[in-house]
Amino acid sequence: MPVPNSYIGQIFSQLADLLEIEGANQFRVRAYRNAAQIVSQWPRSLAEIIARGDELPKIAGLGKDLSGKVTEIATTGNCSLLQEIEKRIPGQLSTLLKIPGLGPKRVLLLRDCLRIENLRDLKRAAQEGKIRELPGLGPKIERVILRELRKPQVELPGSGEAPEKRRMPRQTAEQIIHPLLHWLENVLDVKRLIVAGSYRRGQETVGDLDLLATCDSPLSAADSIMERFIQYEEVASVLARGRTKTSVWLRSGIQVDLRVIPEESYGAALHYFTGSKSHNIAVRALGVKKGLKINEYGVYRGSRRIAGSTEEQVYRAVGLPYIEPELREQKGEIEAAFEDHLPSLVTLQDIRGDLHAHTLATDGRATIEELAEAALRKGYQYLSITDHTRHLTVAKGLDPGRLLEQIRKIDQINEKLGDLRVLKSSEVDILENGSLDLPDEILRELDITVCSVHYKFNLSREKQTERIIRAMDNPYFNILAHATGRLIGRRPPYEIDMERLMLAARERHCFFELNSQPDRLDLNEHHCRLAKELGVKVAISTDAHHVSELEFMRYGVTQARRGWLEPENILNTRSWPELQRLLFSKRSYSPLSRDHPQNSRDSLRKHMQSGRHRVPNSDS
DNA sequence: GCCGTTTTCGGCCCGACTGTTTTCAGTCG
């Protein structure tokens, strides 16, 4: 089993922490931290590439030395540099960095003066009042340490593991942010109020919220908005209170930072507080090369401010076109901007229909008509009704007979609807042996199929991948739904070889779904980029179980944008005739298809007449 | 340790806030 990229990333992150504590060159530390992020998020398994004997791809940020360490970790599971450093300082020292207020200097001080090597030692020293006696530290930091160590996620047995910072789905964050924005609106002299940070970049989960307010210079409204902010009833504690920046902790467990900036600095501030940090560093470095200084107040040549009221101005100052927030992760967007190869990202307006929705017939809470009317109101051209199949008994999955009834009903609805076409479809279970949960005779009656894994998540990577590829061999398999099965924060993805699956899908004219449910967002952004690179088209679908969930499309579109996807890469940006042509390429590809002359069109009738199902009234 | 729109060495983003100080180091984003 090759080591996952995340494991290599963790070692780099650990190296960065320990080197920083040792007082190593800060740029060397940054290189390791940067590499940790790059490697963890790299869409393909680096260990597999090495195991195959292939060359590692050229990755910006991984030079000769770090590439060598990737190879070492991938082949041996260990890193000699880490072992060497751990002879000098204990590895667990890095866990102390997770305590707010403790950075490398103080951690080293704690070790040198009090022999503190882990969280347990730290707790004992704090309880005995020894921390406050150290130079530069005092009773306040001691209280913070004890408070943090009382939190269950920090106090870990053996104190060896880093605590996970809590992150929430965007939908949850929206429920927190909207009332807060409402509370802050209408403060006199506040011109604009906007959520920046990772939320604006469209990250799938939100760890903290960055609010930006502008007012006329010189910060006429700063005091009143800060005061209003800390009076918000959901504020549990005020972490920092300054003239231009205030941070609070909300009862919901999320940190919110509010920055107040002069209106003229809006663009520079929005750019700065949108991040990401590494993107900002790269943009500022470009500025430095041009003799410019870029901060949240503007772009400066010497002491003269030359730009900053819009983000476009900031980018123009360093010779770049505007870069969309979702791309600002320092993952090639600046290089693409230089080469004029930035993607024209898909937007909500590009979407022509939804290809995954459930009704009352199974586990949905809406009728076909209700969903269809809502889709029509959204201006869609088509909507797929994709109820579950019989294997998913907990969702009252449809057997062939009930599905045929639904097909007839959809035909009747389509006669009445006019501009919207309801597609006859199904979310077909992929069984353990890779077969589909409906006979081909039924599947061929559908306009489109969405196929998914709902059980046996714990198969080996090899078996799970084989299972899905076998399913794709079926001539009626169109879209692989929620490919990894993850539920954000609740269930990890099951093991699959995503690249192999995508290559198999391409060969078989199949597609991948980007499921827009806010706790799924499955594919993730890296999978989206991989799909684009491999030429596999993606359907952005809501998997709606209620009319209101058709609105989840926006989460899917945001995720797709983070994955650099353009309208061309998306299945449901196409009109129904265009989509039909793409689907037809699958059936005409397959030797088992009814569209091949040797396959009789009336085999459905034969199947139904075998006695297991009622025969439909007519060929639908 | 990385990298080249000053290219193989020399530079690498920038400011706010806190706590412990009495002018600033450390931390954070």
Side-chain angles (χ1 to χ4, degrees):
Chain A
M1 181 69 193
V3 300
N5 291 350
S6 58
Y7 176 81
I8 304 172
Q10 278 167 16
I11 290 188
F12 282 166
S13 182
Q14 173 81 347
L15 278 168
D17 284 345
L18 295 179
L19 285 167
E20 194 171 25
I21 292 169
E22 276 203 318
N25 178 318
Q26 58 166 315
F27 300 106
R28 185 177 176 214
V29 173
R30 186 195 289 174
Y32 276 99
R33 241 185 255 302
N34 188 33
Q37 201 188 1
I38 293 168
V39 168
S40 303
Q41 298 182 352
W42 195 256
R44 293 173 175 166
S45 165
L46 295 170
E48 277 182 13
I49 293 172
I50 291 162
R52 281 200 302 267
D54 293 345
E55 283 277 307
L56 275 180
K58 181 150 178 47
I59 302 173
L62 288 190
K64 196 176 165 191
D65 183 276
L66 287 173
S67 294
K69 288 195 172 67
V70 168
T71 306
E72 183 195 0
I73 298 164
T75 47
T76 69
N78 289 312
C79 174
S80 52
L81 176 64
L82 182 61
Q83 291 165 339
E84 195 182 305
I85 295 177
E86 284 183 334
K87 282 180 196 158
R88 300 194 292 269
I89 51 172
Q92 287 194 6
L93 215 49
S94 62
T95 59
L96 271 56
L97 294 172
K98 308 297 175 193
I99 305 291
L102 291 190
K105 300 276 192 322
R106 286 173 179 169
V107 166
L108 195 63
L109 184 74
L110 289 168
R111 186 193 103 122
D112 289 347
C113 297
L114 299 175
R115 298 189 169 280
I116 290 170
E117 298 193 343
N118 55 43
L119 292 173
R120 192 164 291 158
D121 297 344
L122 182 71
K123 186 173 186 178
R124 193 180 308 121
Q127 283 169 335
E128 291 169 2
K130 289 181 177 166
I131 308 278
R132 66 179 68 191
E133 293 165 2
L134 297 179
L137 297 172
K140 198 139 184 176
I141 186 81
E142 199 170 78
R143 281 198 296 276
V144 168
I145 289 169
L146 286 170
R147 191 189 67 208
E148 286 299 314
L149 289 177
R150 272 198 297 274
K151 291 182 182 172
Q153 71 272 26
V154 176
E155 199 172 24
L156 295 166
S159 313
E161 287 183 46
E164 271 300 312
K165 205 176 163 190
R166 187 166 164 253
R167 299 187 66 88
M168 58 182 72
R170 291 180 69 77
Q171 190 192 23
T172 313
E174 281 176 1
Q175 288 160 4
I176 291 169
I177 199 75
H178 286 150
L180 173 57
L181 289 176
H182 184 64
W183 171 255
L184 291 174
E185 278 168 6
N186 304 324
V187 172
L188 207 61
D189 295 335
V190 168
K191 299 275 183 196
R192 304 195 226 204
L193 193 57
I194 185 168
V195 188
S198 63
Y199 181 86
R200 181 164 181 252
R201 298 200 308 278
Q203 268 200 354
E204 61 191 25
T205 58
V206 178
D208 52 23
L209 288 165
D210 297 289
L211 293 188
L212 179 64
T214 67
C215 56
D216 282 331
S217 191
L219 300 182
S220 51
D223 287 335
S224 48
I225 193 169
M226 292 307 186
E227 193 56 35
R228 177 95 175 152
F229 184 43
I230 61 172
Q231 281 171 0
Y232 185 53
E233 62 176 356
E234 290 299 310
V235 169
S237 63
V238 178
L239 301 170
R241 166 77 197 270
R243 173 137 172 76
T244 68
K245 178 182 172 181
T246 293
S247 299
V248 302
W249 193 253
L250 297 185
R251 287 183 219 287
S252 47
I254 194 165
Q255 184 179 329
V256 186
D257 297 340
L258 172 63
R259 282 294 301 258
V260 183
I261 290 283
E263 172 65 19
E264 69 206 26
S265 298
Y266 176 70
L270 184 58
H271 180 257
Y272 178 69
F273 295 112
T274 297
S276 64
K277 186 174 172 173
S278 52
H279 174 90
N280 284 354
I281 289 174
V283 170
R284 287 179 180 200
L286 289 174
V288 168
K289 283 180 184 154
K290 290 182 177 291
L292 303 172
K293 184 179 76 166
I294 303 174
N295 60 26
E296 58 263 58
Y297 299 107
V299 181
Y300 296 84
R301 186 177 300 282
S303 59
R304 194 167 64 90
R305 185 172 177 282
I306 61 162
S309 61
T310 66
E311 288 191 310
E312 285 83 354
Q313 282 184 0
V314 175
Y315 284 111
R316 203 178 308 133
V318 295
L320 293 177
Y322 177 75
I323 299 176
E324 299 279 4
E326 293 92 337
L327 300 178
R328 300 181 195 169
E329 297 290 348
Q330 184 59 347
K331 288 185 189 157
E333 73 278 9
I334 290 177
E335 294 78 0
F338 266 127
E339 294 160 9
D340 202 22
H341 282 151
L342 280 173
S344 300
L345 299 179
V346 61
T347 69
L348 205 49
Q349 288 70 41
D350 293 320
I351 301 297
R352 306 267 187 102
D354 199 330
L355 295 173
H356 191 163
H358 297 271
T359 76
L360 284 165
T362 57
D363 58 350
R365 285 171 288 133
T367 62
I368 301 173
E369 290 89 341
E370 285 166 344
L371 286 165
E373 283 160 17
L376 202 54
R377 283 197 296 277
K378 293 177 74 64
Y380 285 168
Q381 295 180 8
Y382 46 86
L383 167 75
S384 271
I385 297 300
T386 53
D387 274 315
H388 292 288
T389 54
R390 57 195 171 185
H391 188 273
L392 203 64
T393 49
V394 288
K396 302 177 291 175
L398 302 184
D399 60 20
R402 288 177 67 208
L403 180 56
L404 284 168
E405 276 176 39
Q406 188 179 66
I407 287 172
R408 277 203 299 275
K409 188 167 182 192
I410 290 174
D411 283 334
Q412 290 164 5
I413 290 171
N414 273 332
E415 281 173 23
K416 291 184 230 155
L417 269 178
D419 288 342
L420 181 95
R421 184 185 175 98
V422 179
L423 303 183
K424 291 167 279 191
S425 185
S426 176
E427 181 177 3
V428 191
D429 255 56
I430 298 172
L431 304 181
E432 188 183 356
N433 64 5
S435 63
L436 297 182
D437 192 25
L438 286 173
D440 287 358
E441 291 77 7
I442 308 293
L443 292 172
R444 73 168 45 151
E445 295 307 307
L446 301 173
D447 292 311
I448 185 169
T449 63
V450 171
C451 305
S452 53
V453 168
H454 284 122
Y455 72 110
K456 287 281 178 186
F457 291 156
N458 59 352
L459 296 185
S460 69
R461 182 174 145 102
E462 179 74 15
K463 281 187 177 161
Q464 197 71 276
T465 305
E466 290 290 342
R467 170 192 189 179
I468 298 172
I469 292 176
R470 271 202 298 280
M472 286 178 181
D473 282 334
N474 185 297
Y476 303 106
F477 184 118
N478 293 129
I479 299 172
L480 177 62
H482 46 71
T484 78
R486 72 160 176 180
L487 294 173
I488 294 172
R490 287 189 288 146
R491 186 172 74 202
Y494 45 74
E495 293 285 335
I496 45 169
D497 184 337
M498 187 60 86
E499 185 171 358
R500 205 176 139 212
L501 274 185
M502 286 190 173
L503 289 170
R506 185 175 70 186
E507 191 180 316
R508 291 161 178 76
H509 301 260
C510 298
F511 310 102
F512 272 66
E513 174 189 86
L514 193 181
N515 189 294
S516 305
Q517 292 277 321
D519 62 345
R520 282 193 185 269
L521 290 175
D522 185 3
L523 311 171
N524 69 27
E525 61 193 84
H526 313 297
H527 300 145
C528 290
R529 275 189 90 165
L530 187 62
K532 180 175 183 172
E533 188 188 326
L534 296 178
V536 176
K537 290 190 172 46
V538 172
I540 308 176
S541 307
T542 64
D543 194 359
H545 286 67
H546 187 269
V547 169
S548 64
E549 293 186 2
L550 291 175
E551 300 301 322
F552 287 171
M553 187 63 79
R554 67 178 190 278
Y555 300 120
V557 168
T558 300
Q559 181 87 332
R561 289 168 63 85
R562 283 186 62 81
W564 291 49
L565 296 182
E566 304 181 68
E568 162 65 24
N569 310 123
I570 308 296
L571 208 53
N572 48 325
T573 54
R574 291 164 159 76
S575 67
W576 169 239
E578 288 175 282
L579 179 55
Q580 229 176 351
R581 272 196 292 280
L582 285 170
L583 297 171
F584 189 75
S585 66
K586 160 87 181 196
R587 295 195 184 183
S588 55
Y589 146 82
S590 170
L592 297 176
S593 158
R594 67 170 170 187
D595 305 305
H596 274 252
Q598 69 268 31
N599 295 313
S600 155
R601 285 185 64 86
D602 63 6
S603 61
L604 168 66
R605 191 171 295 278
K606 285 182 193 159
H607 174 79
M608 301 310 293
Q609 285 171 341
S610 66
R612 286 171 58 202
H613 307 291
R614 283 183 295 142
V615 180
N617 293 338
S618 62
D619 286 328
S620 30

